[in-house]
Amino acid sequence: VAAPLSAVPPTETFTGTITDHMCAQGGHAGMRMGPTDAECTKACVSAHGAAYVLDDGKNAYTLSDQKTPEKFAGQRVRVVGTLDAKTKTIQVDSITAAR
């Protein structure tokens, strides 16, 4: 008897900028909730209920971890995790500064 193989998505590495879902596609110029992109990102999350996302220039992926990204707001990072393509959400294993 053969056991069915479970379709576990592979762990991948994604590179992009930590921003918020409200400013991901249009940039921070429209909201400008602070003097820098990092400050705007943090303000949109704390004051407007936005979610941290990874913007790779083509797509904005919601991050399952909504605490760690705060220290990387506005920075280019490497996120290791599993992508749920349907929801465009990355189940985060780790976030580190990109080199």
Side-chain angles (χ1 to χ4, degrees):
V1 176
L5 297 175
S6 62
V8 175
T11 298
E12 300 178 62
T13 300
F14 305 87
T15 303
T17 302
I18 296 292
T19 187
D20 62 277
H21 83 272
M22 296 173 76
C23 295
Q25 300 302 313
H28 297 277
M31 295 285 279
R32 195 42 71 192
M33 296 285 297
T36 66
D37 289 353
E39 292 297 320
C40 184
T41 297
K42 290 176 187 178
C44 285
V45 170
S46 66
H48 297 291
Y52 285 110
V53 298
L54 178 74
D55 183 359
D56 71 1
K58 295 179 189 175
N59 296 292
Y61 299 103
T62 302
L63 301 169
S64 65
D65 178 351
Q66 288 290 300
K67 292 182 181 185
T68 306
E70 181 176 5
K71 67 182 174 185
F72 293 105
Q75 296 179 40
R76 190 158 172 77
V77 298
R78 184 172 300 121
V79 176
V80 176
T82 306
L83 175 64
D84 180 334
K86 291 179 193 171
T87 62
K88 293 179 92 171
T89 300
I90 298 172
Q91 184 65 40
V92 177
D93 291 335
S94 67
I95 301 174
T96 56
R99 298 178 187 203

